[in-house]
Amino acid sequence: MTGRRYLVLQLPQLPTDRVRHAEPDLQGQPLACWSTNGSRRVLTAVDAPGTALHAGQALADAQAMHPGLVLRPAEPAADLALLERLALWALRFTPLASADPPDGLVLDITGCTDLSGGEAPLLARVSAGLGRGGIAARAVIASVVDVAAALARAGQHGTILPHGQERSAIERLPLSVLRLPHDCLAGLHRLGLQRVGDLLRQPRAPLTRRFGRVLLDALDALTGERPRTLAPVRPPPEYEVAGNFVEPIVTRPGIDRAVDRLLEQLCERLTEAGQGARRVTLRAFRVDRDVQELTIGTGLPTRTPAHLRRLFAEVLERLEPDLGFERITLQADVTNPFAAAQDGMGVIGPGRHRAAEALGELLDRLSQRLPVWRLSPTESHWPERAMREVDAFAEVTRDGSWPGLAQPVRLLPRPLPLMVVAAVPDGPPARVRLDGSVHAVIWADGPERIEAEWWREPEGRPGRDYYRVALASGARLWIGRAGPIRADEPPRWFLHGYLA
């Protein structure tokens, strides 16, 4: 046993609650979800009070008993997505919330209950919040996750189990409350084991030999000797601030004011820790249990509220308040050490730092609207491979081992075929046909010859000769000729770029 406390939620009607939320017109009508099990079609979830319908029943029998039953195909992926969204919503109560598929949530509430006035008020708040969103839930608090889950599946909603009473609380529960495979459960029943207490009193070795590791894992988790590992839906944030609102926020000015206050608080925390944010996520919790996220990133670490505010101003319009947001959080997902420059140290220190910071802020603002990148040289002398796009803030260095050609100001992504007349077959261009007109060449420099990169090119690819030429019209071009000069065919010329 540990000193931790868990609030476990079991959502018995998660599939049908999801369907009703997506189709509000179905409120009040009997509803069921179905799927195919081998050659049979069976009900997987039922929300039809006052009927004898149940999960596992044949679909044909259910339709015969209740012709007015509304049926929808089961969608396990959609149910799991809803469960994960509800786990995100539960982050307002604890930083450690996990989805426990197929129909459970686990909240580690250790140290979080004082904010709600105790365990009972917290359990009531969570249950009421899910109820307002149309989600039926059974909630139990205990020191062992699987004990609380078993009690919740047994229908003991609202139970708060003190430390040390776990075994006595579950001994009389039927084995059906445990998540065991059907064949394992049937085998235990054939042995005369009907309740959890009967199972716990059996020696482990024979049970393990007969039913395998799955039963041993379930027993260890139930006794707390080896609890199941549950991954939190989000890692606990190191730098997070939150705002809760008595009246839900609906308007954009209200959202802006709330974000401004939270940015001030977040930047103060980052300053105290000597950190700067590289990525900040805003989560807006709507009153109907919907959680919306916006994320902004920066090239350089920052803790300037005005800069972050300008970045968020570009994306806040994506929020859909509908009935309003009751909680907004800001979390610095990625941070880097950030030392502030001192004033009065001359241009070499803080002046250069402020210039780099201003450039970084400009690039951050531009990146909210369009892709921002810079060119970096690569180890290739082939013109179209000599540069590549890298992050705008990446360090660009060149050691000089791959000098390459003196390339033009503008390099075309694809060379364009060109008609060229040379004074001699292997000489520089004399006349060029460009844009439908023939232009005389008044100056030419070259050739600069490159050969194909044998380690990556197909065998036999020809090399190229490049010329820098100026036309009588004033245009300055970078022209190439592919392959060797041959008597049986004219040379292939192409335009690859424009000079300054």
Side-chain angles (χ1 to χ4, degrees):
M1 301 293 178
T2 67
R4 307 201 70 82
R5 297 288 281 173
Y6 300 94
L7 169 57
V8 176
L9 297 154
Q10 195 252 341
L11 314 178
Q13 299 172 4
L14 181 67
T16 54
D17 289 342
R18 174 186 57 79
V19 174
R20 291 192 189 279
H21 187 270
E23 303 180 48
D25 295 341
L26 297 180
Q27 297 298 332
Q29 300 184 47
L31 174 66
C33 295
W34 65 275
S35 68
T36 302
N37 184 7
S39 60
R40 300 175 63 241
R41 295 189 300 174
V42 298
L43 302 184
T44 58
V46 178
D47 182 12
T51 70
L53 301 177
H54 58 85
Q57 188 174 12
L59 178 60
D61 294 343
Q63 289 178 304
M65 294 171 60
H66 295 278
L69 179 65
V70 179
L71 294 169
R72 293 291 183 269
E75 299 182 43
D79 296 338
L80 179 59
L82 174 59
L83 192 65
E84 292 176 347
R85 290 199 301 272
L86 292 174
L88 282 174
W89 168 80
L91 291 176
R92 63 176 303 175
F93 304 105
T94 171
L96 292 172
S98 304
D100 187 19
D103 58 359
L105 295 174
V106 178
L107 281 62
D108 187 338
I109 59 172
T110 308
C112 301
T113 55
D114 291 343
L115 300 175
S116 300
E119 292 183 348
L122 177 59
L123 185 148
R125 283 185 61 198
V126 176
S127 301
L130 289 172
R132 287 194 299 271
I135 305 295
R138 300 169 181 164
V140 174
I141 294 178
S143 298
V144 179
V145 171
D146 282 70
V147 169
L151 291 172
R153 285 193 287 272
Q156 298 188 21
H157 171 65
T159 299
I160 300 177
L161 199 62
H163 287 287
Q165 298 186 16
E166 288 77 16
R167 178 155 184 158
S168 60
I170 61 174
E171 280 194 337
R172 299 187 61 81
L173 297 180
L175 291 181
S176 58
V177 301
L178 305 181
R179 286 180 178 170
L180 295 174
H182 178 74
D183 55 348
C184 178
L185 197 60
L188 292 172
H189 286 164
R190 284 195 297 271
L191 294 177
L193 305 177
Q194 302 294 329
R195 300 189 179 279
V196 174
D198 300 336
L199 183 61
L200 293 177
R201 284 189 287 270
Q202 303 302 313
R204 294 287 186 89
L207 291 175
T208 304
R209 284 195 300 269
R210 181 160 184 170
F211 298 102
R213 184 60 182 257
V214 62
L215 179 59
L216 181 62
D217 290 343
L219 291 175
D220 286 345
L222 195 63
T223 58
E225 296 177 8
R226 189 162 49 87
R228 283 186 297 131
T229 300
L230 294 168
V233 67
R234 297 284 185 189
E238 189 172 357
Y239 305 102
E240 182 183 37
V241 293
N244 297 303
F245 314 110
V246 178
E247 293 293 333
I249 297 178
V250 179
T251 64
R252 175 63 187 271
I255 295 174
D256 289 340
R257 288 193 294 271
V259 172
D260 289 346
R261 290 195 298 269
L262 293 177
L263 284 174
E264 295 285 351
Q265 298 173 20
L266 180 63
C267 290
E268 287 179 3
R269 292 193 57 184
L270 291 172
T271 301
E272 293 172 357
Q275 298 286 316
R278 290 288 307 280
R279 188 173 71 229
V280 180
T281 297
L282 179 148
R283 293 190 182 91
F285 297 77
R286 214 161 62 180
V287 295
D288 61 355
R289 310 307 100 192
D290 182 57
V291 181
Q292 300 177 25
E293 286 191 5
L294 298 175
T295 300
I296 56 102
T298 64
L300 299 173
T302 182
R303 52 173 180 252
T304 305
H307 177 47
L308 295 175
R309 186 179 300 116
R310 294 184 67 174
L311 298 182
F312 271 114
E314 302 287 342
V315 297
L316 284 177
E317 60 188 18
R318 302 178 194 168
L319 292 177
E320 299 177 359
D322 196 38
L323 298 177
F325 297 117
E326 58 183 358
R327 176 182 172 88
I328 293 179
T329 66
L330 281 179
Q331 175 182 325
D333 302 308
V334 178
T335 61
N336 290 141
F338 183 68
Q342 299 182 11
D343 294 332
M345 296 296 290
V347 177
I348 298 299
R352 182 174 299 175
H353 172 81
R354 284 192 294 269
E357 186 177 5
L359 176 60
E361 292 179 359
L362 173 61
L363 294 176
D364 290 338
R365 295 194 298 272
L366 291 175
S367 64
Q368 302 302 313
R369 303 183 181 182
L370 72 163
V372 177
W373 44 266
R374 69 188 302 182
L375 291 175
S376 174
T378 62
E379 294 182 344
S380 175
H381 57 256
W382 210 248
E384 51 265 42
R385 297 198 191 106
M387 295 287 176
R388 64 186 176 93
E389 295 179 8
V390 298
D391 184 82
F393 296 91
E395 184 178 358
V396 175
T397 59
R398 187 165 190 166
D399 59 10
S401 59
W402 292 83
L405 300 178
Q407 295 191 9
V409 173
R410 178 189 173 195
L411 183 71
L412 299 180
R414 291 180 179 272
L416 300 178
L418 198 64
M419 293 185 63
V420 174
V421 176
V424 295
D426 60 348
R431 289 190 301 274
V432 174
R433 186 176 181 84
L434 183 66
D435 298 330
S437 301
V438 177
H439 302 268
V441 175
I442 61 173
W443 172 82
D445 180 33
E448 292 180 285
R449 176 164 295 179
I450 63 171
E451 296 294 340
E453 297 174 335
W454 55 267
W455 59 92
R456 68 173 71 178
E457 302 290 358
E459 185 177 359
R461 181 168 183 175
R464 297 175 184 173
D465 289 336
Y466 280 96
Y467 292 88
R468 305 164 68 86
V469 303
L471 306 183
S473 63
R476 293 166 56 85
L477 311 177
W478 203 49
I479 295 176
R481 182 179 60 209
I485 303 298
R486 300 177 57 177
D488 57 343
E489 65 178 71
R492 291 182 291 122
W493 293 87
F494 54 89
L495 172 64
H496 208 169
Y498 293 89
L499 305 175

